[in-house]
Amino acid sequence: MDQKGYRRESFQSTTSDEDMLEVAGASMDFSMADDDPPLDREMGGFSSYNGGGMNSTSTMMDFLEEPLPGVGTYEDFNTIDWVREKSRDRDRHREITNRSKESTWALLHSVSDAFSGWLLMLLIGLLAGSLAGLIDISAHWMTDLKEGVCLAGFWFNHEHCCWKSNTTFTDRDKCPEWKSWSQLILGHGEGAFAYILNYFMYVIWALMFSLLAVLLVKGFAPYACGSGIPEIKTILSGFIIRGYLGKWTLVIKTVTLVLAVSSGLSLGKEGPLVHVACCCGNILCHLFTKYRKNEAKRREVLSAAAAAGVSVAFGAPIGGVLFSLEEVSYYFPLKTLWRSFFAALVAAFTLRSINPFGNSRLVLFYVEFHMPWHLLELVPFILLGIFGGLWGAFFIRSNIAWCRRRKTTRLGKYPVLEVFVVTAITAILAFPNEYTRMSTSELISELFNDCGILDSSKLCEYVNDFNSTKGDDLPDRAAGPGVYTAMWQLALALVMKVFITIFTFGMKVPSGLFIPSMAVGAIAGRLLGVAVEQLAFYHHDWAIFSGWCSQGADCITPGLYAMVGAAACLGGVTRMTVSLVVIMFELTGGLEYIVPLMAAAMTSKWVADAIGREGIYDAHIRLNGYPFLEAKEEFSHKTRAMDVMRPRKNDPPLTVITQDSMTVEDVETIVSSTTYSGYPVVVSRASQRLVGFVLRRDLIISIENARKKQDGIVSTSVICFTDYCPPLPPSSPSVLKLRSILDLSPFTVTDETPMEIVVDIFRKLGLRQCLVTHNGKLLGIITKKDVLKHIAQMANQDPNSILFN
């Protein structure tokens, strides 16, 4: 039999057949809904091969044992049936609870089943924290390798190499154990030739790292590229992308993330760490039966893993939980909230135990501010919010335009060449400027830093008047030549970061967007902070300063402006609000700066939303055509179910199966001549009274197994979906009873149901399809893809873009 539904290439077809049911080209793996009543038990050995009927003891026994291969799982690029998966888990839990009263062993099994979720969270936290520590240590070392090597041990990075040196504090970066490449090769580090050699080695190392990363991704794990968050959001909404969270993806993503960050490209590791943590969660799910065999339960684990990923990325466990809740999760029950918190806690504790940066902090740019802010400073903070919103909207439009060009032109066929060119341009432009030459995390750390007496950075080269110093706090001072030089260099770095990030994000290497966005905002914030500081110093007698900023006082903290700018730009790009403020608060450890952060984050979101409603992750989801139904958007159009359902006016009639009048050959002909993933079952073609819904895959497996295991089943055998089949002549072949695979309670709406209600049903119940009736008669069907196409059409977008690409 020609099973067209198993051909993946038909997935992207735009014919009416493929559009009728949601992912028509890929085979559907559901058995029937599990909350159906007890069904035919007289089917003998064959009844055990069909799912459904969870109220029947025999079918429950078969469910707990190994089912038929292929039943109960999903093919690639399918959407799971949330209702069915949750029903299966409830039945499994009910059976375990009932058995626990029968014996001590069953009671222990029940306790271990209840505890397995917490054990899984523990394992995810330990593995995610360990991998994050490994990535941090490796990336720090390889980033410094571009500039030199440690003679005391090549495995030491620059900072660790100089820890045991006897140099003074001001010369702590010039210890004799650390040699630049010019000192190592030429014997000296001064002069034009030494500078050119260091420049050349920097570019060569950057190209080597990036090329190795893109070749590994292309050759072993194509899914390891990008940040992974758009795909994680889509997977958590119920879509299946096989291999995206597999072991090869985990290994290659971990290795190439270190290489990509070390190459100096304008990208970060924070977004990909969410993908890495979700890979850990998916792989560890296979250790526990209840998560391995249930896609809905597995998605609860992945939500918690995403929280652990952000926890180790920013050292912010609470922010990680809120990020998972606000940004990536589709279904987030209270139990998942607790487990996410536990996983994030364990991951952060593990990373803290590894201590990758040697300063007992979880991130490189942790900072503490001590000076309070003044109410009038809300004006520059809001200005930073406006800048963040404008930058976010500009970045999203530019990056999506470039990624669309990459997908639709020959550029997409040469990923290695693209990475090579972008890395070469980035390295050549970055080396002359010390603020672009250093890693982006170090740059953010420097920009967040509050200048102290011992700071030797150019950003802290003020004209000192130590007679006015009170304790550890330095007063506002006049900027020295080093500060002005740093301002020009930061301005050039800002221009470079703004434009080079557009072309970097989306290349075929692991690339996060958190750190580059924060760097843009931190540079803008530091520039504005120093400007306000100098204005207050030279014009402290102005009315706006006279009440709170007297001469010799420490009024303005430029590092705080950098932090607020970083939050504003990150919010403008991702449209995060609550989780963003909490992450930044956990980074600084100060409650008093929440109001400036909230003001900047909300202003940034408002400005960016006024220009374009989508955040960067939602924009990439739409660009890739993932079937993601956004839960945050309101559907306000006055359309009805009959306007969206298939078949339309000029389409062929809806393909149906009758309950007791079709033969095996008739059904096989329907299955082989169409590519639908399921078929409504009606009383008769004349009446069109709805009986239920049967899935294509269940039909194929049931008929094939019946031919093998039941005597007398031939092509002329009648298929019966009812309890009692109509009487047949004695010479007729055996009847094939398939009521046990029939979903007797498919979701139905009437043709006059408003589409806003239909959209809500699809969002909140996670439906794959919904049948449309009129006075009890079947009219048509609405699939998730039909809903997505209708929403796109109402928004004046191309409805055919809702196809997985």
Side-chain angles (χ1 to χ4, degrees), residues 281-292:
N282 184 62
I283 292 167
L284 290 170
C285 276
H286 288 81
L287 301 176
F288 302 89
T289 306
K290 76 173 180 180
Y291 295 107
R292 183 175 70 247

Side-chain angles (χ1 to χ4, degrees), residues 649-675:
K649 284 184 179 179
N650 299 322
D651 289 345
L654 187 66
T655 303
V656 297
I657 296 175
T658 57
Q659 67 175 2
D660 55 14
S661 61
M662 296 182 74
T663 64
V664 170
E665 185 178 19
D666 295 335
V667 173
E668 286 180 338
T669 302
I670 289 176
V671 170
S672 61
S673 61
T674 62
T675 54

